[in-house]
Amino acid sequence: MSGNIELLGTTLAAARAEDRAALIAYLPAGFPTVDGGIEAVKAVIAGGADVVEIGLPHSDPVLDGPVIQTADDIALRGGVRIADVMRTVREAYDATGVPILVMTYWNPIDRYGVERFTAELAEAGGAGCILPDLPVQESALWREHAEKHGLATVFVVAPSSQDARLATITAAGSGFVYAASLMGVTGTRASVGAQAQELVGRTRATTDLPVCVGLGVSNAGQAAEVAGFADGVIVGSAFVKAMLDAPDEAAGLDAVRSLAGELAQGVRKR
């Protein structure tokens, strides 16, 4: 079975055709439980998310701040496994038809096996992977299997990336480019900053791929600001925090559905 890279492309193109940015939500698998995590993904999609990233919980998530680290710890203590991540992708995709990606560090894939991981992700209906710590120059094996199975390979660029480096990264990637709005880890910020707009401009000069911005966006105003210059707005910590702050799982689902609705309005006010 082939993965859903084409669905990802048509979804991002459809948002652009509506003169808006896409809303991309991030939630970790297995948080607060595997079943609860699947329901949370369905809730953000019901609220208006166009694309969802499923985080593969990791014991040393170098890109992630304390909010997502807390959720990862809950998932890991609950015994989450890669099979649960695949189940989350499968059930979320089957229920909604929305493109679902996995965001993961390289070590779990390396240990699991690249061919096994890509084949299972495609079979589950996944659209691709975001790989924040896989160097492009060491990605040939991954990209070979991802392409064979119809999966996008999304690389992360940062404000520190030089223009030549940006060109190398974007030439190797597919699906979209993940532009980190600032140097640092994930988390909500009072301001997304001008660095993000400059980075999007420099990245677009090297590629026709959509450029989506993450790190720091937590409310409709910030979503509207980023939607003014990016093809997609990526929100993670704000959704996870809403779940963490809720008194129970039902309230958490209501909170992330409501937040997705607000953010979806924000990306339409670019």
Side-chain angles (χ1 to χ4, degrees):
M1 178 175 174
S2 181
N4 273 311
I5 186 173
E6 290 188 7
L7 175 63
L8 176 64
T10 57
T11 300
L12 294 173
R16 177 180 289 185
E18 295 173 10
D19 193 30
R20 67 174 179 88
L23 174 60
I24 303 176
Y26 167 95
L27 286 166
F31 167 73
T33 62
V34 175
D35 289 341
I38 293 168
E39 292 307 310
V41 175
K42 294 177 185 177
V44 296
I45 293 169
D50 299 290
V51 178
V52 176
E53 304 171 7
I54 304 297
L56 195 161
H58 194 272
S59 58
D60 186 25
V62 294
L63 185 69
D64 295 310
V67 170
I68 291 176
Q69 286 184 26
T70 298
D72 277 6
D73 186 58
I74 291 169
L76 291 168
R77 288 174 184 271
V80 70
R81 295 289 184 266
I82 288 178
D84 300 311
V85 177
M86 298 299 178
R87 180 186 155 211
T88 301
V89 172
R90 177 181 294 105
E91 294 195 15
Y93 171 67
D94 286 348
T96 68
V98 163
I100 312 287
L101 299 103
V102 170
M103 185 167 186
T104 179
Y105 299 96
W106 179 246
N107 180 259
I109 294 178
D110 192 39
R111 291 174 64 88
Y112 197 72
V114 176
E115 168 60 21
R116 180 185 179 194
F117 189 95
T118 51
E120 290 184 7
L121 182 56
E123 191 276 330
C129 252
I130 301 163
L131 300 160
D133 67 340
L134 177 63
V136 170
Q137 62 269 27
E138 298 175 18
S139 67
L141 178 65
W142 164 266
R143 287 187 285 125
E144 173 191 341
H145 287 287
E147 184 174 355
K148 179 173 76 171
H149 290 291
L151 299 169
T153 297
V154 179
F155 290 114
V156 179
V157 298
S160 60
S161 302
Q162 299 297 312
D163 290 350
R165 178 69 177 162
L166 285 176
T168 300
I169 293 170
T170 59
S174 57
F176 64 90
V177 182
Y178 186 127
S181 66
L182 39 77
M183 302 303 294
V185 296
T186 58
T188 61
R189 301 292 197 282
S191 172
V192 178
Q195 287 186 108
Q197 186 167 1
E198 180 193 14
L199 176 59
V200 169
R202 291 196 296 120
T203 304
R204 279 195 176 135
T206 71
T207 184
D208 291 329
L209 289 173
V211 183
C212 304
V213 171
L215 275 66
V217 177
S218 61
N219 58 53
Q222 291 172 333
E225 176 190 356
V226 173
F229 56 81
D231 298 295
V233 179
I234 303 169
V235 181
S237 294
F239 285 120
V240 176
K241 187 174 186 300
M243 292 285 290
L244 286 169
D245 289 348
D248 54 49
E249 188 175 306
L253 296 178
D254 287 342
V256 295
R257 187 183 300 108
S258 176
L259 177 59
E262 294 169 15
L263 293 164
Q265 288 184 337
V267 300
R268 287 164 170 78
K269 295 177 180 176
R270 54 193 310 175

